[in-house]
Amino acid sequence: QKEVEQNSGPLSVPEGAIASLNCTYSDRGSQSFFWYRQYSGKSPELIMFIYSNGDKEDGRFTAQLNKASQYVSLLIRDSQPSDSATYLCAPLGTGFQKLVFGTGTRLLVSP
Amino acid sequence: DTAVSQTPKYLVTQMGNDKSIKCEQNLGHDTMYWYKQDSKKFLKIMFSYNNKELIINETVPNRFSPKSPDKAHLNLHINSLELGDSAVYFCASSRGYNSPLHFGNGTRLTVT
């Protein structure tokens, strides 16, 4: 079983729609969860983090966490073509400070 | 102001050579990392240093040797380069526990 699983996509949504990106993880001890966005040829950039069960909203982004189900998701409302990128889920592993990245979901937002 | 900077941005070299990648952060962070992103875009941790001390050493060939002269710098030296070493190497830093990583712009290494 992979430590972090994401659907590689591409996930195609029309402009203005809600994009839903999902992630499951295997380390039950993970307490912190980060979402990174990576444009092609660029470095990953942090867009959201969440520590507690439930929802956390920041602008057009909402992160959702369910530790019992070992599931974390990212919703992007009013998707824009500029949101087209790969989204990486990264739980913080137990023990040492180690982010374990999923393989990422490629999102395509069409005008 | 560049927060995490890596040099060089591109590195093309032949098999068997030895090369180094340098990384510096001006964020005042205590922890620095090297990650490798392969052709399938999978981002995998290689090493982590906290205040110049090695704290994470994943299953990486011992041809790879990190060095941290101070907590603002973390360099990566690679001996006897192989074709499979071709990837993008990212340096990152973080303030500490539960803190997000800040990535450098990456070094694209191509071994021919």
Side-chain angles (χ1 to χ4, degrees):
Chain A
Q1 181 191 5
K2 289 183 183 175
E3 292 183 82
V4 183
E5 299 220 36
Q6 295 181 256
N7 188 321
S8 60
L11 173 65
S12 295
V13 300
E15 184 174 358
I18 296 175
S20 177
L21 307 161
N22 304 316
C23 171
T24 58
Y25 59 94
S26 62
D27 186 349
R28 285 197 168 274
S30 293
Q31 295 296 316
S32 308
F33 303 85
F34 300 87
W35 281 98
Y36 282 81
R37 177 177 62 199
Q38 187 174 25
Y39 292 112
S40 181
K42 301 294 185 183
S43 58
E45 55 177 328
L46 179 73
I47 51 171
M48 284 286 289
F49 60 89
I50 186 166
Y51 302 144
S52 305
N53 278 330
D55 295 0
K56 178 182 177 183
E57 188 174 318
D58 184 1
R60 296 187 296 113
F61 299 99
T62 299
Q64 299 175 316
L65 174 60
N66 183 327
K67 290 183 182 179
S69 301
Q70 294 173 251
Y71 173 88
V72 58
S73 66
L74 179 70
L75 300 177
I76 306 175
R77 289 181 300 281
D78 188 23
S79 295
Q80 301 297 308
S82 59
D83 293 328
S84 298
T86 297
Y87 290 79
L88 303 166
C89 169
L92 182 64
T94 50
F96 295 117
Q97 172 84 351
K98 181 174 88 169
L99 279 189
V100 181
F101 285 86
T103 51
T105 297
R106 187 166 163 232
L107 174 66
L108 295 175
V109 182
S110 53
Chain B
D1 289 347
T2 304
V4 183
S5 58
Q6 298 177 227
T7 54
K9 188 173 173 65
Y10 299 98
L11 190 50
V12 181
T13 189
Q14 291 184 326
M15 284 176 56
N17 285 347
D18 303 338
K19 291 293 178 186
S20 291
I21 307 171
K22 295 186 175 182
C23 178
E24 175 182 4
Q25 54 96 4
N26 63 6
L27 296 167
H29 289 167
D30 289 333
T31 309
M32 295 186 72
Y33 309 79
W34 280 110
Y35 276 81
K36 177 182 179 181
Q37 189 168 45
D38 60 25
S39 57
K40 295 183 179 176
K41 308 300 182 188
F42 182 52
L43 196 60
K44 186 171 171 57
I45 191 168
M46 300 173 69
F47 302 103
S48 173
Y49 273 73
N50 182 268
N51 278 323
K52 302 192 298 176
E53 299 289 328
L54 179 67
I55 57 171
I56 295 174
N57 184 349
E58 292 293 287
T59 309
V60 176
N62 56 16
R63 298 182 294 105
F64 291 79
S65 52
K67 281 191 172 54
S68 181
D70 55 61
K71 74 174 191 177
H73 295 83
L74 179 61
N75 304 322
L76 183 65
H77 187 75
I78 315 169
N79 289 328
S80 304
L81 278 155
E82 300 178 356
L83 292 176
D85 297 332
S86 295
V88 180
Y89 292 83
F90 286 102
C91 176
S93 71
S94 74
R95 189 157 32 90
Y97 186 71
N98 258 356
S99 299
L101 268 58
H102 297 258
F103 285 87
N105 289 330
T107 296
R108 182 174 293 277
L109 171 65
T110 303
V111 182
T112 60

